[in-house]
Amino acid sequence: MNRYATPTDHLPDPVTQAEFYADVTLKRALAWVIDSILILALVVPVVVMTAFIGLFFLPFLFLVVGFVYRAATIAGGSATWGMRLMAIELRDAYGRRLDGGTALLHTLGYTVSMSIPLIQFVSIVTIVTSERGQSLTDMGLGTAMINRRA
Protein backbone atom coordinates (compact mmCIF):
# COMPACT_ATOMS: atom_id res chain seq x y z
CA MET A 1 0.00 0.00 0.00
CA ASN A 2 1.38 3.38 -1.01
CA ARG A 3 1.26 5.99 1.66
CA TYR A 4 1.68 9.64 0.83
CA ALA A 5 3.39 11.94 3.29
CA THR A 6 1.18 14.47 5.00
CA PRO A 7 2.39 17.96 5.96
CA THR A 8 2.76 16.94 9.62
CA ASP A 9 4.47 13.53 9.24
CA HIS A 10 7.65 14.86 10.88
CA LEU A 11 5.94 16.16 14.01
CA PRO A 12 5.64 13.93 17.08
CA ASP A 13 2.78 11.46 16.73
CA PRO A 14 -0.05 12.41 19.12
CA VAL A 15 -0.85 8.73 19.83
CA THR A 16 2.57 7.17 20.29
CA GLN A 17 4.26 10.33 21.62
CA ALA A 18 1.39 11.87 23.56
CA GLU A 19 3.76 13.47 26.08
CA PHE A 20 4.60 16.15 23.48
CA TYR A 21 0.95 17.28 23.49
CA ALA A 22 0.03 16.70 27.16
CA ASP A 23 -1.72 19.78 28.62
CA VAL A 24 -0.62 21.94 25.67
CA THR A 25 -4.12 23.39 25.16
CA LEU A 26 -4.24 24.68 28.75
CA LYS A 27 -0.63 25.89 28.58
CA ARG A 28 -1.38 27.65 25.32
CA ALA A 29 -4.32 29.50 26.92
CA LEU A 30 -2.22 30.52 29.93
CA ALA A 31 0.60 31.65 27.62
CA TRP A 32 -1.91 33.80 25.74
CA VAL A 33 -2.93 35.50 29.02
CA ILE A 34 0.72 36.11 29.96
CA ASP A 35 1.50 37.48 26.49
CA SER A 36 -1.54 39.76 26.61
CA ILE A 37 -0.34 41.21 29.92
CA LEU A 38 3.16 41.71 28.50
CA ILE A 39 1.76 43.43 25.39
CA LEU A 40 -0.31 45.71 27.64
CA ALA A 41 2.89 46.54 29.57
CA LEU A 42 4.50 47.52 26.26
CA VAL A 43 1.50 49.56 25.10
CA VAL A 44 1.23 51.69 28.27
CA PRO A 45 4.58 53.50 27.76
CA VAL A 46 3.66 54.13 24.11
CA VAL A 47 0.41 55.78 25.22
CA VAL A 48 2.30 57.90 27.76
CA MET A 49 4.97 58.89 25.20
CA THR A 50 2.25 60.08 22.82
CA ALA A 51 0.84 62.39 25.52
CA PHE A 52 -2.13 60.02 25.77
CA ILE A 53 -3.16 60.66 22.17
CA GLY A 54 -2.46 56.95 21.66
CA LEU A 55 -5.66 56.24 23.62
CA PHE A 56 -7.61 57.27 20.51
CA PHE A 57 -5.81 54.53 18.60
CA LEU A 58 -5.61 51.94 21.37
CA PRO A 59 -6.91 48.94 19.36
CA PHE A 60 -4.46 49.78 16.57
CA LEU A 61 -1.60 50.14 19.09
CA PHE A 62 -2.41 46.74 20.57
CA LEU A 63 -2.48 45.25 17.09
CA VAL A 64 0.88 46.72 16.04
CA VAL A 65 2.71 46.16 19.33
CA GLY A 66 1.28 42.64 19.62
CA PHE A 67 2.27 41.81 16.05
CA VAL A 68 5.85 43.00 16.52
CA TYR A 69 6.12 41.26 19.92
CA ARG A 70 4.81 37.92 18.62
CA ALA A 71 6.75 37.94 15.35
CA ALA A 72 10.02 38.88 17.07
CA THR A 73 9.76 36.44 19.97
CA ILE A 74 8.57 33.52 17.83
CA ALA A 75 11.33 34.18 15.27
CA GLY A 76 13.88 34.38 18.09
CA GLY A 77 13.06 31.11 19.81
CA SER A 78 9.94 29.54 18.29
CA ALA A 79 7.89 30.77 21.24
CA THR A 80 6.65 33.98 22.80
CA TRP A 81 7.73 34.76 26.36
CA GLY A 82 4.40 33.43 27.62
CA MET A 83 4.93 30.18 25.73
CA ARG A 84 8.44 29.89 27.14
CA LEU A 85 7.11 30.32 30.69
CA MET A 86 4.61 27.54 29.98
CA ALA A 87 7.39 25.35 28.48
CA ILE A 88 5.75 25.04 25.06
CA GLU A 89 7.01 25.94 21.60
CA LEU A 90 5.97 25.94 17.97
CA ARG A 91 7.48 23.47 15.52
CA ASP A 92 7.15 23.41 11.76
CA ALA A 93 5.99 20.45 9.69
CA TYR A 94 9.51 18.98 9.81
CA GLY A 95 9.79 19.25 13.58
CA ARG A 96 12.11 22.26 13.39
CA ARG A 97 11.85 25.57 15.22
CA LEU A 98 10.12 28.27 13.21
CA ASP A 99 12.34 30.49 11.08
CA GLY A 100 11.71 34.22 10.66
CA GLY A 101 9.47 33.86 7.62
CA THR A 102 7.31 31.16 9.15
CA ALA A 103 7.14 33.13 12.42
CA LEU A 104 5.93 36.15 10.44
CA LEU A 105 3.30 34.09 8.61
CA HIS A 106 2.17 32.48 11.87
CA THR A 107 1.82 35.90 13.49
CA LEU A 108 -0.09 37.21 10.47
CA GLY A 109 -2.47 34.24 10.61
CA TYR A 110 -2.97 34.75 14.35
CA THR A 111 -3.63 38.47 13.83
CA VAL A 112 -6.19 37.83 11.09
CA SER A 113 -7.89 35.22 13.29
CA MET A 114 -8.05 37.62 16.24
CA SER A 115 -9.45 40.35 13.99
CA ILE A 116 -12.41 38.23 12.83
CA PRO A 117 -14.31 36.70 15.78
CA LEU A 118 -15.89 33.85 13.79
CA ILE A 119 -12.51 32.71 12.47
CA GLN A 120 -11.03 32.95 15.98
CA PHE A 121 -13.92 30.89 17.35
CA VAL A 122 -13.35 28.18 14.73
CA SER A 123 -9.62 28.31 15.46
CA ILE A 124 -10.25 27.75 19.18
CA VAL A 125 -12.54 24.82 18.35
CA THR A 126 -9.80 23.25 16.21
CA ILE A 127 -7.26 23.72 19.02
CA VAL A 128 -9.55 21.88 21.42
CA THR A 129 -10.66 19.13 19.02
CA SER A 130 -7.77 18.34 16.65
CA GLU A 131 -5.41 15.54 17.61
CA ARG A 132 -2.37 17.87 17.63
CA GLY A 133 -4.24 20.83 19.14
CA GLN A 134 -3.66 22.94 16.04
CA SER A 135 -5.24 26.31 15.32
CA LEU A 136 -6.41 27.21 11.81
CA THR A 137 -3.10 29.00 11.28
CA ASP A 138 -1.19 25.93 12.49
CA MET A 139 -3.15 23.72 10.10
CA GLY A 140 -2.48 26.06 7.19
CA LEU A 141 1.26 26.26 7.89
CA GLY A 142 1.70 22.67 9.09
CA THR A 143 2.93 23.87 12.50
CA ALA A 144 2.06 22.55 15.95
CA MET A 145 2.50 23.62 19.55
CA ILE A 146 4.32 21.00 21.61
CA ASN A 147 5.85 20.71 25.05
CA ARG A 148 9.40 21.98 24.95
CA ARG A 149 12.00 19.24 24.70
CA ALA A 150 14.29 19.00 27.71
Side-chain angles (χ1 to χ4, degrees):
M1 173 188 201
N2 256 345
R3 181 168 179 260
Y4 295 98
T6 63
T8 55
D9 275 350
H10 300 285
L11 289 169
D13 183 88
V15 175
T16 61
Q17 297 173 303
E19 66 275 9
F20 283 103
Y21 301 98
D23 301 320
V24 168
T25 301
L26 175 62
K27 291 178 180 181
R28 193 172 193 164
L30 293 172
W32 182 84
V33 170
I34 293 166
D35 288 330
S36 296
I37 292 167
L38 290 171
I39 292 166
L40 175 63
L42 294 170
V43 167
V44 168
V46 173
V47 169
V48 172
M49 288 187 296
T50 63
F52 297 94
I53 294 171
L55 288 174
F56 293 107
F57 308 101
L58 199 56
F60 179 73
L61 280 176
F62 265 98
L63 181 76
V64 170
V65 171
F67 189 93
V68 171
Y69 165 81
R70 289 180 187 284
T73 55
I74 292 171
S78 212
T80 63
W81 291 342
M83 292 173 196
R84 292 172 197 181
L85 284 171
M86 293 292 105
I88 56 176
E89 63 186 359
L90 286 161
R91 291 296 177 136
D92 71 9
Y94 296 97
R96 300 176 303 217
R97 291 175 177 252
L98 271 56
D99 59 22
T102 308
L104 191 65
L105 288 172
H106 196 279
T107 302
L108 180 62
Y110 167 81
T111 303
V112 169
S113 293
M114 289 299 287
S115 300
I116 304 170
L118 180 60
I119 293 176
Q120 184 58 21
F121 176 76
V122 172
S123 194
I124 291 168
V125 169
T126 63
I127 288 171
V128 173
T129 60
S130 64
E131 67 179 359
R132 286 190 168 91
Q134 293 171 294
S135 68
L136 289 177
T137 299
D138 290 327
M139 289 179 177
L141 294 175
T143 57
M145 187 78 67
I146 62 172
N147 285 309
R148 188 172 52 223
R149 298 174 182 165

